[in-house]
């Protein structure tokens, strides 16, 4: 603040205060100078001079004035002359200037920032509000008013709590803000004036006074209704079959899990049904996919109609539907539903101008199963469905742990084997076959091995029978044959001498109509002469499928009777059979040179081979004594741990290169 006085002629008489030097107003500088001199202006209308003149005329004046880049609020008062009798007129003017530059700047900044916030507030797409402590709206931006459909006056007279749909949510929200002073992205539903529901995210903070007292709240409401709806749609799509709009497998599994838990708690039975249409494929292929879709829709509807309200039907995939029956009073109730369901599906369908019937097979699994997850019920219902199918249409079977559990395990193992095949976990080991006269390796037998990621090396006795029962042996055998031929070719390229390949062939492979052309392809592809390939078939197979054996032979490959002596061969069949060799089963070789009976059997087989002009291979040779005896008896080929165990291809090649002799 600067203070000064001037006399009636507007000449400085005194000055004091802070910052005088900046203004050139120090007493010794200005004393005696006129205002006109100080401001360097003769203009009588120049604001400070004009104002001083008015003050000198007896008026109190205030004005704002900017001088040397600073802003001042200036206050002028007339100074009364002190005469003897108290009067005496005006002697001069006292002036007082406050530098308000900084304050002005602050005010300006504040105004600007407020404008910015105002703009945010006005233009935000989210609702923004300020409330009092007791939840009255004080301010709400246009977006908020539009969202809720009130004008600001109505809004102000409203208790914001009335906007909440769920009072529990409201209390949770309030508790949170009281405890922490802020809440972020609190999800709830709010109600508009038009009673519409909005999914909203609330973010709120406390407005507090200088001493920390709560003045009220301010916050943002984001309308996420559309997003929610979209998410809901996505979720629906993920959990429902698009065609029938029934729950899909994912949702069904989830429902079962809940149902199992509940059934356990209430110790009540529940059931899972597996419904499979028996002739859907025929319809789908015959009438086209559009018609097939309509049939599936209708099937879904019919199943639904046979159920009780609390039951769930799901489309499990393809023409498979699953049903969850909850809150059953008894097992019989489940059977009643199944019977209604079969009846509903047995009625004729009319689609694409055609009338036809479909039958269904239903597997029933009653739960909960002790110590088993929800997946177990579906598995059991699936197994039971296969059982029902065996009865040939419009039938059901209730899973019975005593008789069907084995089946379940088989299904699992089958699935595992199928995956192994896909993931190429099956490989081959090779066991050499030795010519006894020369003592040299002349052939190999490829033996399947499963490189199981968890169990390590799995032996064929553990998976070949299953592969045979399920028919998986066909693709598996084909794959392995291709591999064996490829290996053989690689060895051909590495070593001059030639090996023969003795490949095991199972009954489903032999029955496969495509076997011969596929074999021809493989041989051609690998460029291997057919007569190097020996197919080993069991005695029984050789007997029962003579025409298939003939077929094989017509390709030029050799045929060998495996495990000879364990079947029910008769000499007459052997005569008819055009086999090239016999493999003496290792159980007979085992007792050679020890057990006179085994010795006699081996001798007989060798004589038989000689008569019928069949090469004889002894397998399972484990000791030198066995080898010596076989040599004595004139056996031509032998195989067994005594020579070598089955080994991976690379090791076989090493052995083959070394060309050991026994
Ligand atoms: P197999 O055709 O009789 O094969 C000979 C089996 O005897 C092999 O068992 C072999 O490891 C074993 N072995 C060889 N020498 C000796 C020995 O000195 N002592 C004893 N105790 N055993 C010996 P592996 O590899 O476990 O194969 C078992 C069976 O699985 C085979 O019997 C064959 O029937 C079947 N198999 C293996 N691989 C395949 C395949 O790729 N396709 C088909 N269809 N069947 C296969
Ligand atoms: Ca064999
Ligand atoms: Ca054998």
């Amino acid at each position: 603040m600067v203070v000064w006085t001037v006399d009636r002629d507007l000449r400085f008489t005194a000055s004091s205060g802070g910052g005088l030097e900046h203004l050139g107003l120090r007493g010794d500088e200005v004393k005696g100078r006129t205002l006109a001199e100080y401001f360097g202006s003769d203009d009588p209308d120049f604001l400070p001079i004009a104002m001083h003149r008015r003050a000198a005329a007896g008026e109190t004046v205030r004005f704002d004035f900017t001088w040397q880049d600073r802003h001042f609020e200036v206050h002028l008062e007339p100074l009364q002359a002190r005469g003897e009798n108290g009067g005496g007129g005006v002697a001069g003017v006292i002036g007082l200037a406050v530098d308000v530059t900084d304050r002005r700047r602050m005010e300006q900044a504040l105004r600007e920032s407020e404008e910015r916030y105002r703009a945010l507030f006005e233009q935000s797409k989210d609702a923004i509000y300020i409330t009092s402590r007791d939840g009255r709206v004080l301010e709400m931006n246009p977006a908020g008013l539009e969202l809720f459909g009130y004008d600001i006056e109505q809004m102000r007279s409203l208790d914001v709590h009335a906007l909440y749909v769920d009072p529990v949510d409201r209390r949770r929200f309030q508790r949170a803000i009281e405890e922490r002073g802020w809440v972020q992205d609190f999800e709830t539903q709010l109600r508009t004036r038009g009673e519409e529901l909005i999914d909203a995210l609330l973010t709120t903070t406390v407005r507090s006074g200088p001493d920390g007292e709560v003045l009220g709240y301010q916050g943002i409401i984001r309308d996420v209704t559309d997003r929610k709806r979209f998410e809901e749609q996505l979720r629906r799509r993920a959990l429902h079959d698009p065609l029938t709009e029934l729950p899909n497998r994912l949702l069904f599994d989830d429902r079962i899990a809940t149902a199992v838990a509940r059934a356990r708690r209430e110790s009540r039975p529940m059931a899972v049904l597996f419904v499979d249409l028996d002739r859907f494929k025929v319809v789908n292929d015959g009438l086209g996919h559009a018609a097939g879709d309509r049939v599936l829709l209708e099937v879904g509807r019919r199943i639904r109609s046979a159920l009780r309200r609390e039951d769930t039907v799901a489309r499990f995939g393809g023409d498979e539907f699953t049903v969850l029956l909850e809150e059953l009073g008894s097992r019989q109730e489940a059977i009643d539903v199944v019977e209604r369901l079969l009846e509903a599906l047995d009625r004729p369908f009319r689609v694409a101008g055609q009338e036809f019937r479909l039958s269904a097979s239903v597997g029933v699994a009653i739960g909960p199963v002790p110590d088993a997850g929800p997946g177990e019920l579906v598995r059991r219902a699936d197994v039971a469905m296969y059982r029902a199918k065996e009865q040939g249409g419009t039938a059901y079977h209730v899973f019975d742990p005593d008789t069907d559990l084995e089946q379940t395990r088989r299904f699992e193992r089958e699935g595992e084997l199928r995956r192994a095949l896909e993931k190429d976990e099956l490989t081959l080991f090779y066991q050499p076959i030795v010519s006894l006269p020369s003592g040299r390796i002349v052939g190999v037998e490829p033996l399947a091995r499963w490189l199981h990621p968890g169990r390590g090396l799995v032996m064929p006795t553990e998976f070949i029978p299953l592969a045979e029962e399920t028919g998986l042996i066909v693709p598996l055998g084909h794959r392995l044959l291709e591999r064996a031929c490829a290996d053989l070719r690689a060895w051909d390229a590495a070593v001059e001498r030639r090996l023969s390949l003795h490949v095991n062939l199972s009954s489903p492979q032999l029955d496969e109509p495509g076997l011969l052309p596929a074999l021809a392809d493989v041989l051609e592809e690998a460029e291997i002469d057919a007569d190097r390939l020996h197919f080993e078939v069991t005695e029984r197979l050789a007997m029962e499928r003579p025409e298939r054996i003939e077929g094989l032979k017509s390709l030029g490959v050799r045929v060998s009777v495996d495990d000879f002596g364990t079947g029910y061969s008769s000499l007459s069949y052997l005569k008819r059979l055009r086999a090239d060799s016999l493999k003496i089963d290792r159980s007979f070789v085992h007792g050679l040179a020890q057990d006179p009976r085994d010795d006699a059997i081996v001798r007989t087989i060798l004589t038989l081979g000689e008569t019928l002009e069949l090469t004889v291979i002894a397998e399972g040779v484990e000791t030198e004594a066995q080898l010596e005896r076989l040599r004595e008896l004139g056996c031509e080929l032998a195989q067994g741990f005594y020579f070598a165990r089955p080994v991976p291809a690379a090791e076989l090649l090493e052995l083959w290169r070394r060309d050991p002799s026994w």
Side-chain angles (χ1 to χ4, degrees):
M1 188 164 70
V2 183
V3 183
W4 66 93
T5 49
V6 293
D7 62 17
R8 293 173 52 133
D9 300 331
L10 308 187
R11 232 178 253 281
F12 282 103
T13 48
S15 62
S16 74
L20 290 176
E21 55 279 12
H22 298 306
L23 297 168
L25 263 178
R26 274 206 329 256
D28 50 347
E29 285 172 343
V30 295
K31 204 166 172 187
R33 292 172 71 189
T34 64
L35 283 173
E37 280 163 0
Y38 173 73
F39 287 113
S41 169
D42 283 335
D43 182 357
D45 292 332
F46 185 55
L47 187 68
I49 297 177
M51 289 299 178
H52 275 81
R53 200 168 297 116
R54 277 167 59 184
E59 219 180 306
T60 296
V61 291
R62 277 169 200 278
F63 63 98
D64 288 347
F65 181 59
T66 300
W67 182 240
Q68 293 185 357
D69 280 340
R70 306 206 60 86
H71 304 290
F72 296 94
E73 272 176 24
V74 186
H75 186 102
L76 301 178
E77 289 272 353
L79 267 178
Q80 302 298 326
R82 241 167 280 162
E84 265 95 89
N85 50 7
V90 175
V93 173
I94 178 164
L96 194 145
V98 180
D99 184 341
V100 294
T101 314
D102 293 343
R103 205 175 80 205
R104 283 278 167 81
R105 280 194 189 134
M106 244 155 71
E107 279 168 5
Q108 178 65 16
L110 213 65
R111 220 171 9 253
E112 279 171 8
S113 100
E114 212 182 282
E115 271 162 20
R116 267 203 299 275
Y117 281 116
R118 196 79 214 161
L120 276 180
F121 181 81
E122 297 287 338
Q123 289 160 23
S124 165
K125 291 196 169 45
D126 294 331
I128 303 176
Y129 63 88
I130 297 173
T131 69
S132 63
R133 262 190 84 137
D134 58 357
R136 301 263 147 211
V137 171
L138 302 174
E139 291 255 33
M140 186 172 274
N141 69 341
L145 297 175
E146 191 184 325
L147 180 63
F148 290 105
Y150 295 104
D151 63 29
I152 185 68
E153 290 315 319
Q154 293 167 321
M155 201 73 200
R156 284 189 177 132
S157 62
L158 206 73
D159 183 345
V160 281
H161 297 157
L163 298 176
Y164 282 85
V165 171
D166 182 356
V168 176
D169 268 7
R170 199 203 71 209
R171 278 197 296 277
R172 268 178 49 220
F173 179 75
Q174 243 176 334
R175 207 175 318 121
I177 197 155
E178 273 160 23
E179 277 166 15
R180 282 185 307 193
W182 55 268
V183 176
Q184 190 165 16
D185 290 341
F186 182 88
E187 245 188 280
T188 190
Q189 278 199 320
L190 300 176
R191 199 195 316 269
T192 69
R193 187 179 179 200
E195 295 287 316
E196 253 183 90
L197 299 187
I198 307 167
D199 290 299
L201 286 183
L202 311 185
T203 296
T204 298
T205 54
V206 162
R207 273 189 311 126
S208 33
D211 301 324
E213 75 276 20
V214 174
L215 299 178
Y217 306 96
Q218 59 204 9
I220 298 180
I221 301 171
R222 170 157 295 184
D223 175 7
V224 291
T225 313
D226 288 345
R227 199 184 77 196
K228 276 284 226 215
R229 213 163 280 162
F230 184 62
E231 282 171 2
E232 183 56 37
Q233 264 172 20
L234 282 185
R235 194 159 36 231
R236 232 198 114 68
R237 211 175 307 162
L239 295 177
H240 290 80
D241 164 46
L243 172 66
T244 58
E245 295 189 349
L246 294 172
N248 64 13
R249 197 174 183 140
L250 221 64
L251 181 53
F252 189 74
D253 285 347
D254 187 64
R255 297 255 169 102
I256 293 188
T258 321
V260 164
R262 188 178 320 148
R264 282 218 175 103
R265 215 166 38 237
E266 297 173 0
S267 33
R268 278 222 248 195
M270 54 167 304
V272 171
L273 314 183
F274 208 108
V275 183
D276 187 87
L277 302 178
D278 294 324
R279 283 193 301 273
F280 179 71
K281 201 175 143 37
V282 180
V283 172
N284 206 35
D285 294 349
L287 300 181
H289 286 281
D293 282 357
R294 282 170 50 206
V295 173
L296 289 173
L297 263 170
E298 175 64 13
V299 167
R301 240 176 269 137
R302 289 193 190 181
I303 295 178
R304 180 74 261 173
S305 73
L307 304 182
R308 305 160 312 156
R309 222 168 38 97
E310 58 270 36
D311 302 331
T312 303
V313 52
R315 180 159 176 225
F316 214 61
D319 58 348
E320 295 169 338
F321 292 81
T322 44
V323 175
L324 171 63
L325 304 178
E326 281 198 75
E327 299 183 26
L328 291 173
S330 65
R331 286 169 71 107
Q332 186 53 44
E333 254 180 65
I335 306 302
D336 292 345
V337 172
V338 172
E339 281 172 350
R340 276 206 303 277
L341 195 153
L342 282 173
E343 216 179 276
L345 293 179
D346 207 34
R347 290 199 310 269
F349 286 79
R350 259 200 97 75
V351 166
Q354 299 238 25
E355 196 175 84
F356 53 89
R357 296 178 96 96
L358 287 176
S359 61
S361 303
V362 180
V364 184
I366 307 281
V369 181
D371 307 321
E376 178 64 16
L377 275 172
V378 177
R379 241 187 330 268
R380 290 183 168 198
D382 189 20
V383 169
M385 185 275 289
Y386 273 95
R387 282 284 150 95
K389 247 193 198 328
E390 285 165 11
Q391 300 172 38
T394 309
Y396 68 87
H397 177 85
V398 183
F399 184 92
D400 175 359
D402 293 338
T403 58
D404 298 335
L405 260 183
E406 178 50 34
Q407 181 83 359
T408 316
R409 240 170 265 132
R410 235 196 58 169
F411 268 37
E412 280 164 10
R413 292 213 317 268
E414 182 188 339
E416 213 187 353
L417 187 56
R418 215 174 273 283
R419 279 191 297 280
L421 194 59
E422 277 162 19
K423 288 193 272 174
D424 214 15
E425 288 171 5
L426 293 158
T427 185
L428 287 172
F429 275 30
Y430 293 91
Q431 188 175 34
I433 294 173
V434 176
S435 156
L436 293 189
S438 71
R440 300 290 213 0
I441 297 173
V442 291
V444 287
E445 178 176 11
L447 295 158
R449 297 290 183 268
W450 179 357
L451 293 170
H452 193 287
R455 285 198 279 155
L457 201 64
V458 181
M459 299 305 275
T461 40
E462 280 194 53
F463 62 89
I464 292 287
L466 180 69
E468 288 173 344
E469 283 168 49
T470 55
L472 273 176
I473 190 73
V474 172
L476 189 153
H478 186 79
R479 175 94 52 94
L480 292 182
L481 179 65
E482 279 179 331
R483 180 158 310 162
C485 288
D487 284 341
L488 193 66
R489 234 180 106 69
W491 299 330
D492 282 356
V495 181
E496 283 273 327
R497 289 162 282 125
R498 292 290 170 261
L499 280 169
S500 56
L501 192 64
H502 299 245
V503 177
N504 294 291
L505 204 62
S506 307
S507 135
Q509 291 175 279
L510 198 62
D511 285 342
E512 175 67 20
L515 173 71
L516 298 184
L519 270 182
D521 280 354
V522 173
L523 286 173
E524 196 184 349
E525 174 81 6
E527 294 174 21
I528 288 170
D529 293 336
D531 64 357
R532 292 173 65 195
L533 205 56
H534 297 241
F535 281 108
E536 300 189 352
V537 296
T538 59
E539 245 178 290
R540 186 191 192 120
L541 200 55
M543 257 184 70
E544 287 171 356
R545 299 275 189 285
E547 72 297 340
R548 299 294 286 167
I549 302 294
E550 286 300 326
L552 274 180
K553 296 228 41 160
S554 71
L555 284 179
V557 300
R558 309 289 172 88
V559 173
S560 190
V561 181
D562 206 351
D563 306 336
F564 187 76
T566 57
Y568 49 100
S569 313
S570 66
L571 291 180
S572 59
Y573 118 83
L574 269 182
K575 228 169 35 196
R576 267 186 285 121
L577 180 75
R578 288 184 45 228
D580 302 280
S581 51
L582 297 178
K583 242 182 158 173
I584 311 176
D585 189 72
R586 66 169 180 266
S587 57
F588 305 119
V589 175
H590 184 77
L592 258 190
Q594 260 182 352
D595 185 335
R597 274 168 305 177
D598 282 348
D599 204 275
I601 292 171
V602 172
R603 249 182 302 148
T604 313
I605 296 174
L606 283 166
T607 317
L608 191 72
E610 212 171 323
T611 329
L612 296 173
E613 296 181 339
L614 299 170
T615 311
V616 178
I617 308 169
E619 70 178 348
V621 178
E622 294 181 352
T623 65
E624 190 168 1
Q626 290 164 354
L627 169 62
E628 288 316 315
R629 183 69 183 138
L630 285 168
R631 273 211 167 103
E632 271 171 38
L633 295 176
C635 179
E636 192 167 341
L637 297 169
Q639 174 184 1
F641 294 168
Y642 179 74
F643 307 105
R645 288 181 176 262
V647 292
E651 271 178 62
L652 193 279
L653 175 59
E654 252 173 64
L655 203 63
W656 182 223
R657 271 214 177 99
R658 267 208 328 268
D659 190 19
S661 82
W662 287 274

